[in-house]
Short mmCIF file of all heavy atoms in Angstrom, two decimals:
data_model
loop_
_atom_site.label_atom_id
_atom_site.label_comp_id
_atom_site.label_asym_id
_atom_site.label_seq_id
_atom_site.Cartn_x
_atom_site.Cartn_y
_atom_site.Cartn_z
N MET A 1 160.47 170.02 117.62
CA MET A 1 159.97 168.76 118.17
C MET A 1 160.23 167.61 117.28
O MET A 1 160.15 167.69 116.08
CB MET A 1 158.55 169.08 118.45
CG MET A 1 157.67 168.04 119.23
SD MET A 1 157.95 167.79 120.85
CE MET A 1 156.97 168.80 121.76
N ALA A 2 160.58 166.45 117.90
CA ALA A 2 160.92 165.19 117.19
C ALA A 2 159.80 164.41 116.92
O ALA A 2 158.75 164.30 117.60
CB ALA A 2 162.00 164.50 117.91
N ARG A 3 159.81 163.58 115.83
CA ARG A 3 158.70 162.67 115.41
C ARG A 3 159.36 161.30 115.45
O ARG A 3 160.43 161.05 114.93
CB ARG A 3 158.19 162.94 113.96
CG ARG A 3 157.55 164.26 113.95
CD ARG A 3 156.97 164.49 112.54
NE ARG A 3 155.77 163.66 112.42
CZ ARG A 3 154.87 163.78 111.39
NH1 ARG A 3 155.18 164.59 110.44
NH2 ARG A 3 153.87 163.04 111.39
N ARG A 4 158.76 160.30 116.13
CA ARG A 4 159.29 158.98 116.22
C ARG A 4 158.95 158.12 115.04
O ARG A 4 157.86 158.26 114.43
CB ARG A 4 158.67 158.28 117.49
CG ARG A 4 158.98 158.98 118.73
CD ARG A 4 160.28 158.61 119.16
NE ARG A 4 160.62 159.41 120.44
CZ ARG A 4 161.80 159.22 121.02
NH1 ARG A 4 162.75 158.43 120.56
NH2 ARG A 4 161.98 160.00 122.16
N VAL A 5 159.89 157.22 114.64
CA VAL A 5 159.68 156.33 113.50
C VAL A 5 159.98 154.95 113.99
O VAL A 5 160.86 154.66 114.71
CB VAL A 5 160.72 156.74 112.37
CG1 VAL A 5 160.51 155.70 111.19
CG2 VAL A 5 160.53 158.02 111.87
N VAL A 6 159.00 154.10 113.60
CA VAL A 6 159.09 152.64 114.07
C VAL A 6 159.14 151.74 112.80
O VAL A 6 158.25 151.95 112.00
CB VAL A 6 158.00 152.20 114.97
CG1 VAL A 6 158.07 150.76 115.40
CG2 VAL A 6 158.09 153.19 116.27
N GLU A 7 159.98 150.75 112.70
CA GLU A 7 160.03 149.75 111.68
C GLU A 7 159.73 148.33 112.31
O GLU A 7 160.39 147.89 113.23
CB GLU A 7 161.41 149.82 111.02
CG GLU A 7 161.48 148.70 109.81
CD GLU A 7 162.87 148.69 109.32
OE1 GLU A 7 163.47 149.79 109.12
OE2 GLU A 7 163.41 147.63 109.11
N THR A 8 158.80 147.72 111.67
CA THR A 8 158.44 146.31 112.08
C THR A 8 158.35 145.42 110.76
O THR A 8 158.32 145.97 109.69
CB THR A 8 157.11 146.20 112.76
OG1 THR A 8 156.09 146.65 111.92
CG2 THR A 8 157.15 146.97 114.11
N SER A 9 158.40 144.11 110.98
CA SER A 9 158.24 143.28 109.86
C SER A 9 156.82 142.66 110.00
O SER A 9 156.28 142.45 111.06
CB SER A 9 159.27 142.04 110.03
OG SER A 9 160.50 142.54 109.87
N ALA A 10 156.29 142.25 108.75
CA ALA A 10 154.99 141.63 108.74
C ALA A 10 154.92 140.69 107.49
O ALA A 10 155.75 140.79 106.65
CB ALA A 10 153.92 142.76 108.63
N ALA A 11 153.80 139.95 107.33
CA ALA A 11 153.62 139.16 106.29
C ALA A 11 152.23 139.40 105.68
O ALA A 11 151.24 139.75 106.33
CB ALA A 11 153.64 137.73 106.61
N SER A 12 152.27 139.55 104.30
CA SER A 12 150.99 139.74 103.60
C SER A 12 150.16 138.51 103.52
O SER A 12 150.62 137.41 103.94
CB SER A 12 151.26 140.30 102.22
OG SER A 12 151.82 139.24 101.38
N LEU A 13 148.93 138.62 102.91
CA LEU A 13 148.12 137.43 102.79
C LEU A 13 148.79 136.45 101.89
O LEU A 13 148.45 135.24 101.96
CB LEU A 13 146.65 137.81 102.34
CG LEU A 13 145.97 138.72 103.30
CD1 LEU A 13 144.64 139.15 102.63
CD2 LEU A 13 145.58 138.00 104.57
N ASP A 14 149.59 136.90 100.96
CA ASP A 14 150.26 136.07 100.10
C ASP A 14 151.66 135.52 100.62
O ASP A 14 152.43 135.00 99.94
CB ASP A 14 150.55 136.77 98.68
CG ASP A 14 149.37 137.20 98.00
OD1 ASP A 14 148.35 136.43 98.24
OD2 ASP A 14 149.30 138.27 97.36
N ARG A 15 151.81 135.73 101.87
CA ARG A 15 153.07 135.33 102.66
C ARG A 15 154.32 136.05 102.13
O ARG A 15 155.37 135.49 102.19
CB ARG A 15 153.16 133.75 102.65
CG ARG A 15 152.22 133.15 103.38
CD ARG A 15 152.45 131.63 103.48
NE ARG A 15 151.44 131.02 104.25
CZ ARG A 15 151.33 129.73 104.46
NH1 ARG A 15 152.20 128.95 104.01
NH2 ARG A 15 150.32 129.22 105.18
N GLU A 16 154.21 137.29 101.67
CA GLU A 16 155.38 138.05 101.28
C GLU A 16 155.81 138.77 102.49
O GLU A 16 154.96 139.30 103.22
CB GLU A 16 155.01 139.07 100.14
CG GLU A 16 154.55 138.45 98.83
CD GLU A 16 154.10 139.42 97.89
OE1 GLU A 16 153.37 140.31 98.10
OE2 GLU A 16 154.58 139.32 96.66
N LEU A 17 157.10 138.88 102.63
CA LEU A 17 157.67 139.64 103.87
C LEU A 17 157.68 141.13 103.52
O LEU A 17 158.06 141.60 102.43
CB LEU A 17 159.17 139.17 104.03
CG LEU A 17 159.83 139.73 105.34
CD1 LEU A 17 158.99 139.41 106.46
CD2 LEU A 17 161.21 139.30 105.27
N LEU A 18 157.06 141.79 104.50
CA LEU A 18 156.86 143.31 104.27
C LEU A 18 157.53 144.03 105.49
O LEU A 18 157.75 143.52 106.55
CB LEU A 18 155.31 143.63 104.42
CG LEU A 18 154.44 142.98 103.45
CD1 LEU A 18 153.05 143.31 103.79
CD2 LEU A 18 154.69 143.40 101.98
N LYS A 19 158.01 145.31 105.19
CA LYS A 19 158.52 146.20 106.15
C LYS A 19 157.49 147.25 106.39
O LYS A 19 157.09 147.88 105.42
CB LYS A 19 159.87 146.83 105.70
CG LYS A 19 161.03 145.98 105.66
CD LYS A 19 161.43 145.57 107.05
CE LYS A 19 162.70 144.61 106.96
NZ LYS A 19 163.13 144.24 108.17
N VAL A 20 157.03 147.41 107.62
CA VAL A 20 155.98 148.38 107.91
C VAL A 20 156.62 149.45 108.63
O VAL A 20 157.30 149.24 109.72
CB VAL A 20 154.87 147.74 108.82
CG1 VAL A 20 153.91 148.81 109.18
CG2 VAL A 20 154.28 146.61 108.16
N ILE A 21 156.58 150.77 108.16
CA ILE A 21 157.23 151.86 108.72
C ILE A 21 156.00 152.91 109.20
O ILE A 21 155.22 153.19 108.42
CB ILE A 21 158.11 152.64 107.74
CG1 ILE A 21 159.23 151.65 107.34
CG2 ILE A 21 158.73 153.91 108.42
CD1 ILE A 21 160.06 152.13 106.26
N VAL A 22 156.05 153.16 110.52
CA VAL A 22 155.07 154.08 111.08
C VAL A 22 155.76 155.26 111.60
O VAL A 22 156.71 155.22 112.30
CB VAL A 22 154.32 153.26 112.27
CG1 VAL A 22 153.32 154.35 112.82
CG2 VAL A 22 153.73 152.07 111.75
N ILE A 23 155.27 156.42 111.13
CA ILE A 23 155.79 157.68 111.61
C ILE A 23 154.69 158.37 112.53
O ILE A 23 153.54 158.61 112.08
CB ILE A 23 156.03 158.69 110.41
CG1 ILE A 23 157.09 157.96 109.46
CG2 ILE A 23 156.57 159.99 110.88
CD1 ILE A 23 157.33 158.83 108.24
N TYR A 24 155.05 158.52 113.72
CA TYR A 24 154.12 159.15 114.80
C TYR A 24 154.20 160.57 114.73
O TYR A 24 155.13 161.38 114.33
CB TYR A 24 154.48 158.72 116.13
CG TYR A 24 154.22 157.14 116.38
CD1 TYR A 24 155.07 156.15 115.97
CD2 TYR A 24 152.86 156.76 116.75
CE1 TYR A 24 154.73 154.82 116.16
CE2 TYR A 24 152.60 155.38 116.94
CZ TYR A 24 153.55 154.40 116.65
OH TYR A 24 153.24 153.09 116.64
N GLU A 25 153.07 161.30 115.27
CA GLU A 25 152.91 162.75 115.38
C GLU A 25 153.97 163.24 116.37
O GLU A 25 154.54 162.45 117.23
CB GLU A 25 151.57 163.17 115.61
CG GLU A 25 151.14 162.74 117.06
CD GLU A 25 150.39 161.39 117.02
OE1 GLU A 25 150.41 160.72 115.95
OE2 GLU A 25 149.89 160.96 118.14
N GLU A 26 154.29 164.51 116.38
CA GLU A 26 155.22 165.12 117.31
C GLU A 26 154.68 164.98 118.68
O GLU A 26 153.54 165.10 118.94
CB GLU A 26 155.43 166.59 116.96
CG GLU A 26 156.16 166.80 115.64
CD GLU A 26 156.34 168.30 115.28
OE1 GLU A 26 156.00 169.19 115.98
OE2 GLU A 26 157.06 168.51 114.17
N GLY A 27 155.57 164.82 119.63
CA GLY A 27 155.22 164.84 121.00
C GLY A 27 154.83 163.46 121.63
O GLY A 27 154.72 163.30 122.82
N VAL A 28 154.85 162.33 120.85
CA VAL A 28 154.60 161.02 121.32
C VAL A 28 155.92 160.46 121.90
O VAL A 28 156.97 160.53 121.19
CB VAL A 28 153.99 160.13 120.29
CG1 VAL A 28 153.81 158.68 120.78
CG2 VAL A 28 152.69 160.71 119.78
N SER A 29 155.94 159.99 123.18
CA SER A 29 157.18 159.45 123.80
C SER A 29 157.41 157.96 123.26
O SER A 29 156.56 157.30 122.95
CB SER A 29 157.08 159.54 125.24
OG SER A 29 156.08 158.60 125.73
N LYS A 30 158.62 157.61 123.48
CA LYS A 30 159.01 156.26 123.03
C LYS A 30 158.33 155.20 124.06
O LYS A 30 157.93 154.13 123.52
CB LYS A 30 160.59 156.10 123.28
CG LYS A 30 161.15 154.83 122.66
CD LYS A 30 162.64 154.82 122.60
CE LYS A 30 163.16 153.58 122.02
NZ LYS A 30 164.62 153.71 121.97
N GLN A 31 158.03 155.56 125.30
CA GLN A 31 157.40 154.69 126.18
C GLN A 31 155.99 154.45 125.79
O GLN A 31 155.43 153.38 125.80
CB GLN A 31 157.41 155.24 127.59
CG GLN A 31 158.82 155.20 128.21
CD GLN A 31 159.66 156.38 127.80
OE1 GLN A 31 159.15 157.36 127.20
NE2 GLN A 31 160.95 156.40 128.07
N ASP A 32 155.28 155.53 125.24
CA ASP A 32 154.00 155.36 124.78
C ASP A 32 153.83 154.44 123.63
O ASP A 32 152.94 153.64 123.44
CB ASP A 32 153.29 156.74 124.36
CG ASP A 32 153.10 157.67 125.61
OD1 ASP A 32 152.98 157.10 126.68
OD2 ASP A 32 153.12 158.84 125.44
N ILE A 33 154.89 154.64 122.71
CA ILE A 33 154.82 153.78 121.49
C ILE A 33 155.14 152.29 121.85
O ILE A 33 154.51 151.36 121.34
CB ILE A 33 156.04 154.22 120.53
CG1 ILE A 33 155.68 155.62 119.99
CG2 ILE A 33 156.20 153.25 119.31
CD1 ILE A 33 156.70 156.36 119.21
N ARG A 34 156.02 152.08 122.86
CA ARG A 34 156.25 150.74 123.29
C ARG A 34 155.02 150.06 123.98
O ARG A 34 154.77 148.82 123.84
CB ARG A 34 157.45 150.62 124.22
CG ARG A 34 158.75 150.82 123.48
CD ARG A 34 159.91 150.68 124.44
NE ARG A 34 161.13 150.94 123.77
CZ ARG A 34 161.99 149.99 123.22
NH1 ARG A 34 161.65 148.72 123.32
NH2 ARG A 34 163.09 150.35 122.67
N LYS A 35 154.28 150.89 124.64
CA LYS A 35 152.95 150.40 125.30
C LYS A 35 152.02 149.98 124.18
O LYS A 35 151.27 148.94 124.26
CB LYS A 35 152.32 151.41 126.22
CG LYS A 35 153.13 151.61 127.43
CD LYS A 35 152.53 152.64 128.31
CE LYS A 35 153.28 153.01 129.50
NZ LYS A 35 152.72 154.10 130.22
N GLU A 36 151.95 150.80 123.10
CA GLU A 36 151.02 150.52 122.01
C GLU A 36 151.48 149.26 121.20
O GLU A 36 150.63 148.51 120.78
CB GLU A 36 150.90 151.79 121.12
CG GLU A 36 149.96 151.64 120.04
CD GLU A 36 149.87 152.95 119.15
OE1 GLU A 36 150.11 154.04 119.67
OE2 GLU A 36 149.75 152.77 117.82
N ASN A 37 152.72 149.10 120.99
CA ASN A 37 153.34 148.03 120.14
C ASN A 37 154.46 147.34 120.90
O ASN A 37 155.59 147.74 120.83
CB ASN A 37 153.92 148.66 118.81
CG ASN A 37 152.90 149.23 117.93
OD1 ASN A 37 151.83 148.67 117.76
ND2 ASN A 37 153.09 150.45 117.42
N PRO A 38 154.16 146.44 121.73
CA PRO A 38 155.16 145.80 122.61
C PRO A 38 156.16 144.98 121.93
O PRO A 38 157.12 144.51 122.54
CB PRO A 38 154.35 145.05 123.60
CG PRO A 38 153.06 144.70 122.94
CD PRO A 38 152.82 145.79 121.93
N TYR A 39 155.94 144.59 120.70
CA TYR A 39 156.79 143.61 120.02
C TYR A 39 158.12 144.38 119.59
O TYR A 39 158.24 145.52 119.41
CB TYR A 39 156.16 143.04 118.76
CG TYR A 39 154.87 142.42 119.08
CD1 TYR A 39 153.60 142.96 118.86
CD2 TYR A 39 154.97 141.21 119.74
CE1 TYR A 39 152.41 142.34 119.27
CE2 TYR A 39 153.73 140.56 120.19
CZ TYR A 39 152.47 141.13 119.88
OH TYR A 39 151.41 140.49 120.26
N SER A 40 159.19 143.56 119.41
CA SER A 40 160.49 144.00 119.07
C SER A 40 160.49 144.72 117.75
O SER A 40 159.89 144.23 116.79
CB SER A 40 161.45 142.89 119.18
OG SER A 40 162.33 142.80 118.01
N LYS A 41 161.07 145.88 117.71
CA LYS A 41 161.10 146.67 116.46
C LYS A 41 162.25 147.69 116.55
O LYS A 41 162.90 147.85 117.49
CB LYS A 41 159.83 147.41 116.27
CG LYS A 41 159.50 148.40 117.35
CD LYS A 41 158.16 148.94 117.23
CE LYS A 41 157.00 148.27 118.05
NZ LYS A 41 157.16 147.73 119.31
N LYS A 42 162.55 148.33 115.43
CA LYS A 42 163.65 149.36 115.29
C LYS A 42 163.01 150.76 115.48
O LYS A 42 161.92 150.98 114.89
CB LYS A 42 164.31 149.22 114.01
CG LYS A 42 165.11 147.89 113.79
CD LYS A 42 165.64 147.79 112.56
CE LYS A 42 166.44 146.47 112.41
NZ LYS A 42 167.01 146.38 111.01
N HIS A 43 163.62 151.55 116.32
CA HIS A 43 163.13 152.97 116.53
C HIS A 43 164.15 153.89 115.86
O HIS A 43 165.25 153.75 115.89
CB HIS A 43 163.08 153.22 118.02
CG HIS A 43 161.95 152.42 118.70
ND1 HIS A 43 160.80 153.01 118.95
CD2 HIS A 43 161.97 151.18 119.11
CE1 HIS A 43 160.00 152.01 119.51
NE2 HIS A 43 160.67 151.03 119.69
N GLY A 44 163.56 154.99 115.35
CA GLY A 44 164.32 156.07 114.81
C GLY A 44 163.60 157.42 115.15
O GLY A 44 162.58 157.39 115.70
N VAL A 45 164.27 158.51 114.77
CA VAL A 45 163.66 159.79 115.03
C VAL A 45 163.88 160.72 113.90
O VAL A 45 164.88 160.69 113.25
CB VAL A 45 164.35 160.47 116.36
CG1 VAL A 45 163.89 161.81 116.58
CG2 VAL A 45 164.31 159.56 117.56
N LEU A 46 162.83 161.48 113.57
CA LEU A 46 162.96 162.64 112.59
C LEU A 46 163.04 163.89 113.28
O LEU A 46 162.14 164.27 114.12
CB LEU A 46 161.64 162.60 111.69
CG LEU A 46 161.38 161.52 110.65
CD1 LEU A 46 160.15 161.57 110.11
CD2 LEU A 46 162.56 161.54 109.61
N TYR A 47 164.10 164.70 113.07
CA TYR A 47 164.35 165.98 113.62
C TYR A 47 164.00 167.05 112.54
O TYR A 47 164.42 167.00 111.48
CB TYR A 47 165.68 166.26 114.16
CG TYR A 47 166.03 165.33 115.31
CD1 TYR A 47 166.82 164.21 115.19
CD2 TYR A 47 165.59 165.66 116.54
CE1 TYR A 47 167.16 163.41 116.22
CE2 TYR A 47 165.93 164.83 117.66
CZ TYR A 47 166.74 163.73 117.42
OH TYR A 47 167.11 162.88 118.52
N GLN A 48 163.19 168.03 112.95
CA GLN A 48 162.94 169.15 112.03
C GLN A 48 164.08 170.18 112.04
O GLN A 48 164.33 170.66 113.09
CB GLN A 48 161.60 169.77 112.22
CG GLN A 48 161.22 170.79 111.20
CD GLN A 48 159.70 171.25 111.46
OE1 GLN A 48 159.15 171.05 112.47
NE2 GLN A 48 159.27 171.81 110.43
N THR A 49 164.66 170.39 110.95
CA THR A 49 165.75 171.36 110.79
C THR A 49 165.58 172.22 109.56
O THR A 49 165.52 171.69 108.45
CB THR A 49 167.14 170.78 110.72
OG1 THR A 49 167.20 169.85 109.72
CG2 THR A 49 167.48 170.05 112.02
N ALA A 50 165.49 173.49 109.68
CA ALA A 50 165.43 174.40 108.49
C ALA A 50 164.27 174.04 107.53
O ALA A 50 164.43 174.07 106.37
CB ALA A 50 166.68 174.51 107.84
N GLY A 51 163.06 173.71 108.10
CA GLY A 51 161.92 173.43 107.25
C GLY A 51 161.88 172.09 106.69
O GLY A 51 160.89 171.73 105.92
N ALA A 52 162.94 171.29 106.99
CA ALA A 52 162.93 169.82 106.48
C ALA A 52 163.16 168.89 107.59
O ALA A 52 163.50 169.40 108.77
CB ALA A 52 164.06 169.71 105.45
N TYR A 53 162.98 167.63 107.38
CA TYR A 53 163.24 166.66 108.45
C TYR A 53 164.60 165.95 108.25
O TYR A 53 164.89 165.58 107.07
CB TYR A 53 162.17 165.66 108.49
CG TYR A 53 160.91 166.20 109.23
CD1 TYR A 53 159.92 166.70 108.47
CD2 TYR A 53 160.85 166.11 110.58
CE1 TYR A 53 158.68 167.13 109.13
CE2 TYR A 53 159.70 166.62 111.22
CZ TYR A 53 158.57 167.15 110.48
OH TYR A 53 157.52 167.58 111.11
N GLU A 54 165.28 165.70 109.29
CA GLU A 54 166.52 164.88 109.16
C GLU A 54 166.36 163.57 109.97
O GLU A 54 165.79 163.66 111.14
CB GLU A 54 167.71 165.75 109.87
CG GLU A 54 169.03 165.04 109.78
CD GLU A 54 170.17 165.80 110.45
OE1 GLU A 54 170.11 166.99 110.35
OE2 GLU A 54 171.06 165.20 110.99
N PHE A 55 166.67 162.51 109.40
CA PHE A 55 166.43 161.20 110.03
C PHE A 55 167.63 160.69 110.72
O PHE A 55 168.77 160.73 110.22
CB PHE A 55 166.05 160.16 108.86
CG PHE A 55 165.71 158.79 109.42
CD1 PHE A 55 164.47 158.66 110.06
CD2 PHE A 55 166.56 157.81 109.23
CE1 PHE A 55 164.11 157.40 110.61
CE2 PHE A 55 166.15 156.54 109.72
CZ PHE A 55 164.98 156.32 110.36
N LYS A 56 167.40 160.11 111.97
CA LYS A 56 168.49 159.52 112.72
C LYS A 56 167.91 158.30 113.43
O LYS A 56 166.75 158.29 113.93
CB LYS A 56 169.07 160.45 113.83
CG LYS A 56 169.81 161.64 113.21
CD LYS A 56 170.33 162.47 114.30
CE LYS A 56 171.03 163.69 113.72
NZ LYS A 56 171.62 164.53 114.75
N GLY A 57 168.65 157.26 113.37
CA GLY A 57 168.21 156.04 114.27
C GLY A 57 168.35 154.71 113.55
O GLY A 57 169.33 154.02 113.88
N ILE A 58 167.47 154.33 112.72
CA ILE A 58 167.37 152.94 112.20
C ILE A 58 168.52 152.72 111.20
O ILE A 58 168.66 153.35 110.20
CB ILE A 58 166.05 152.59 111.50
CG1 ILE A 58 164.95 152.80 112.57
CG2 ILE A 58 166.03 151.23 110.91
CD1 ILE A 58 163.52 152.73 111.93
N ALA A 59 169.42 151.71 111.51
CA ALA A 59 170.64 151.44 110.59
C ALA A 59 170.43 150.06 110.04
O ALA A 59 169.88 149.16 110.74
CB ALA A 59 171.89 151.61 111.32
N ASN A 60 170.84 149.78 108.73
CA ASN A 60 170.73 148.48 108.23
C ASN A 60 171.96 147.59 108.63
O ASN A 60 172.96 148.03 108.74
CB ASN A 60 170.68 148.66 106.75
CG ASN A 60 169.39 149.15 106.27
OD1 ASN A 60 168.40 149.16 107.06
ND2 ASN A 60 169.33 149.77 105.14
#
């Protein structure tokens, strides 16, 4: 089962630019995540392979 990863930008109280990375539990759909966080963001996926996770999606 895949886990969704979402990256957004935010600002701290000191006005520093932050990257916020949220990793959702297995089974949450991309549509559910978009309903929860409607703002533009980057999406990626973690796939479990051989007891470890492989990341695909967000590119710089």
Side-chain angles (χ1 to χ4, degrees):
M1 189 61 92
R3 296 180 77 170
R4 300 280 176 181
V5 179
V6 177
E7 178 184 318
T8 60
S9 296
S12 69
L13 295 176
D14 297 330
R15 295 187 176 179
E16 294 176 316
L17 186 59
L18 305 173
K19 291 287 182 184
V20 179
I21 299 173
V22 179
I23 302 173
Y24 288 90
E25 64 273 4
E26 294 181 357
V28 176
S29 70
K30 191 173 183 178
Q31 291 81 13
D32 292 338
I33 294 170
R34 287 187 185 259
K35 287 178 188 174
E36 184 180 323
N37 297 314
Y39 302 107
S40 135
K41 61 188 96 34
K42 297 179 182 178
H43 291 263
V45 179
L46 288 172
Y47 293 103
Q48 189 169 14
T49 56
Y53 282 97
E54 182 179 328
F55 182 75
K56 293 183 182 180
I58 301 171
N60 291 338

